[in-house]
Coordinates of all heavy atoms in Angstrom, one line a residue:
Chain P
V203 N 67.6 216.3 77.3 CA 67.8 215.0 76.6 C 69.1 215.0 75.8 O 69.8 213.9 75.8 CB 66.6 214.6 75.8 CG1 66.8 213.3 75.0 CG2 65.4 214.5 76.7
R204 N 69.4 216.0 75.1 CA 70.5 216.0 74.1 C 71.8 216.4 74.7 O 72.7 216.0 74.2 CB 70.2 216.9 72.9 CG 69.0 216.4 72.0 CD 69.5 215.2 71.3 NE 68.4 214.6 70.6 CZ 68.5 213.8 69.5 NH1 69.7 213.5 69.1 NH2 67.4 213.2 68.9
I205 N 71.8 217.3 75.7 CA 73.0 217.7 76.3 C 73.3 217.1 77.7 O 74.3 216.4 77.9 CB 73.1 219.2 76.3 CG1 72.9 219.8 74.9 CG2 74.4 219.7 76.9 CD1 72.7 221.3 74.9
T206 N 72.3 217.4 78.6 CA 72.6 217.0 79.9 C 72.8 215.5 80.1 O 73.7 215.1 80.6 CB 71.4 217.4 80.8 OG1 71.0 218.9 80.5 CG2 71.7 217.3 82.3
L207 N 71.8 214.8 79.6 CA 71.9 213.3 79.8 C 73.2 212.7 79.3 O 73.9 212.0 80.0 CB 70.6 212.6 79.2 CG 69.4 212.7 80.1 CD1 68.3 211.7 79.5 CD2 69.7 212.2 81.5
P208 N 73.6 212.9 78.0 CA 74.7 212.4 77.5 C 76.0 212.8 78.3 O 76.8 211.9 78.6 CB 74.9 212.8 76.0 CG 73.6 213.3 75.7 CD 72.9 213.7 76.9
L209 N 76.0 214.0 78.6 CA 77.3 214.5 79.3 C 77.3 214.1 80.8 O 78.3 214.2 81.5 CB 77.4 216.1 79.2 CG 77.7 216.5 77.7 CD1 77.7 217.9 77.6 CD2 79.0 215.8 77.3
L210 N 76.1 213.7 81.3 CA 76.0 213.3 82.7 C 76.4 211.8 82.8 O 76.5 211.3 83.9 CB 74.6 213.5 83.1 CG 74.4 213.5 84.7 CD1 75.2 214.6 85.3 CD2 72.9 213.7 84.9
S211 N 76.3 211.1 81.7 CA 76.5 209.6 81.7 C 77.7 209.1 82.5 O 77.6 208.1 83.2 CB 76.4 209.0 80.3 OG 77.4 209.5 79.5
P212 N 78.9 209.8 82.4 CA 80.0 209.3 83.2 C 79.7 209.3 84.7 O 80.0 208.4 85.5 CB 81.2 210.2 82.9 CG 80.8 210.8 81.5 CD 79.3 210.9 81.6
T213 N 79.0 210.4 85.1 CA 78.7 210.5 86.5 C 77.7 209.4 86.9 O 77.7 208.7 88.0 CB 78.1 211.8 86.9 OG1 78.8 212.9 86.2 CG2 78.1 212.2 88.4
A214 N 76.6 209.2 86.0 CA 75.6 208.3 86.3 C 76.2 206.9 86.4 O 75.8 206.0 87.2 CB 74.5 208.4 85.2
F215 N 77.2 206.7 85.5 CA 77.9 205.3 85.5 C 78.5 205.2 86.9 O 78.4 204.1 87.5 CB 78.9 205.3 84.4 CG 79.7 204.2 84.5 CD1 79.3 202.9 84.3 CD2 81.1 204.2 84.8 CE1 80.1 201.7 84.4 CE2 81.9 203.1 84.9 CZ 81.4 201.9 84.7
F216 N 79.2 206.2 87.4 CA 79.9 206.0 88.7 C 78.8 205.7 89.8 O 79.0 204.8 90.6 CB 80.6 207.3 89.0 CG 81.0 207.5 90.5 CD1 82.1 206.8 90.9 CD2 80.3 208.2 91.4 CE1 82.5 206.9 92.2 CE2 80.7 208.4 92.7 CZ 81.8 207.7 93.1

Side-chain angles (χ1 to χ4, degrees):
Chain P
V203 175
R204 292 290 172 157
I205 301 173
T206 312
L207 280 187
L209 292 177
L210 196 60
S211 58
T213 319
F215 172 67
F216 167 78

